[in-house]
Amino acid sequence: MIIPRLFLFISFFSLVLCNEKFNSHVLPRPLILETTQLRELDNEVQLQCTSWRFGVEANNLNPWKTIPLECADYVKDYMLGRAYRLDLERVSNEAGIYAKSLELSGDGKDIWVFDVDDTLLSHLPYYADHGYGLEIFDPAEFNRWVDKALAPAIEPSLKLYKEVMGLGFKVFLLTGRSESQRSMTEENLINAGFQNWEKLILRGSEDHAKLATVFKSDKRSEMVKEGYRILGNSGDQWSDLLGSFMSNRSFKLPNPMYFIV
């Protein structure tokens, strides 16, 4: 008797399904609307944060202390994603094309200036623990990280570094780090693959009160007075590039995590 009853049940259930009018809106309509609204809101945040980052890189928003709270995830995704890598490669490639287009004098006076922090050495490991720029900069905490000499190379910059040296440029490293950090800076640079630079210039005691733009302008002035020709300059901050005695051409690396005057 079990089999006939089962057959009757299946037949009855099939008949009910056939006569049931199909409702294409099984999910409540408000849920669909909320999902759409959330997607539109997310798109708007992406657009606003992309616009903010453009303003930062174009030097239209200076000065600023931290990234906007609503852009925290956006900046994190950018720094850890493919876009940041592509932007770095774009800068390096364009700088390399420019460097190859120059005819050097051969007298050892044609130089390329590089900043160090987030130009040659990456501080992403540090900023990953500090909100990717969401926290106000803490010099003491950052210096403890610098003293470890563990910052990895920014690979596209290492490629450019080796390229310009191979072309015959003298390389000057101009950093806002203190002279007291020379040994760990040299150690970190060498371990990351940067070698054979001509000069590593750090802040002396007389430089600590100077804005970065003033300090680096003063040091470039000294280079020019010594007969050097600054043909290229690479930095992640506008203060690495602007001011007086600027390079014939400068190359700005992306950095939406912090701003240095």
Side-chain angles (χ1 to χ4, degrees):
M1 294 296 292
I2 295 177
I3 294 177
R5 286 179 182 176
L6 181 60
F7 176 79
L8 287 173
F9 174 77
I10 293 174
S11 300
F12 175 75
F13 187 69
S14 301
L15 182 62
V16 170
L17 287 179
C18 290
N19 291 329
E20 181 72 20
K21 183 179 180 181
F22 177 72
N23 183 2
S24 62
H25 302 302
V26 175
L27 291 176
R29 296 292 286 178
L31 284 179
I32 297 174
L33 288 173
E34 287 174 7
T35 301
T36 302
Q37 289 168 346
L38 287 173
R39 187 179 299 113
E40 290 175 352
L41 179 61
D42 183 61
N43 289 341
E44 179 63 21
V45 170
Q46 289 286 321
L47 286 172
Q48 291 290 342
C49 291
T50 299
S51 177
W52 172 83
R53 184 170 65 84
F54 176 81
V56 164
E57 299 298 357
N59 202 30
N60 291 330
L61 298 182
N62 75 78
W64 52 277
K65 292 184 178 181
T66 63
I67 65 174
L69 178 61
E70 60 270 26
C71 295
D73 287 339
Y74 171 88
V75 172
K76 175 184 177 181
D77 291 344
Y78 170 75
M79 296 302 298
L80 297 181
R82 187 162 175 258
Y84 176 57
R85 174 77 184 195
L86 286 174
D87 288 345
L88 290 173
E89 290 174 351
R90 176 81 64 183
V91 176
S92 173
N93 290 340
E94 290 301 317
I97 291 171
Y98 162 71
K100 291 173 186 174
S101 73
L102 299 176
E103 185 175 344
L104 304 188
S105 64
D107 62 0
K109 293 294 185 178
D110 296 317
I111 68 172
W112 196 289
V113 177
F114 286 94
D115 170 54
V116 172
D117 295 311
D118 286 307
T119 297
L120 298 183
L121 299 177
S122 172
H123 295 304
L124 265 178
Y126 171 83
Y127 280 97
D129 293 332
H130 295 83
Y132 297 92
L134 194 59
E135 298 179 11
I136 293 178
F137 181 69
D138 183 340
E141 184 71 16
F142 181 73
N143 284 333
R144 282 191 284 272
W145 154 254
V146 168
D147 290 345
K148 295 177 182 178
L150 295 176
I154 293 178
E155 291 299 330
S157 293
L158 179 57
K159 174 178 174 288
L160 175 64
Y161 181 96
K162 292 179 177 179
E163 196 167 27
V164 298
M165 290 199 74
L167 291 170
F169 286 88
K170 298 290 186 180
V171 169
F172 281 44
L173 307 183
L174 178 54
T175 174
R177 293 187 182 191
S178 171
E179 184 64 43
S180 63
Q181 296 173 311
R182 177 174 291 275
S183 62
M184 60 278 290
T185 300
E186 291 177 341
E187 176 188 350
N188 199 160
L189 285 164
I190 292 171
N191 289 342
F194 300 97
Q195 300 179 14
N196 301 319
W197 57 80
E198 185 70 14
K199 288 186 180 181
L200 171 59
I201 303 169
L202 303 96
R203 284 183 186 262
S205 57
E206 70 280 6
D207 299 314
H208 286 298
K210 296 178 181 178
L211 297 177
T213 306
V214 175
F215 163 67
K216 296 201 170 186
S217 292
D218 288 348
K219 294 305 176 183
R220 290 196 300 268
S221 170
E222 293 175 10
M223 297 174 198
V224 172
K225 289 176 181 177
E226 292 174 10
Y228 291 104
R229 293 176 291 274
I230 308 173
L231 301 184
N233 188 5
S234 298
D236 69 297
Q237 299 291 315
W238 284 104
S239 54
D240 299 328
L241 311 173
L242 299 180
S244 57
F245 298 92
M246 292 170 57
S247 169
N248 283 15
R249 188 167 175 191
S250 299
F251 295 87
K252 169 72 169 63
L253 282 72
N255 186 351
M257 297 187 297
Y258 59 86
F259 176 83
I260 298 176
V261 180

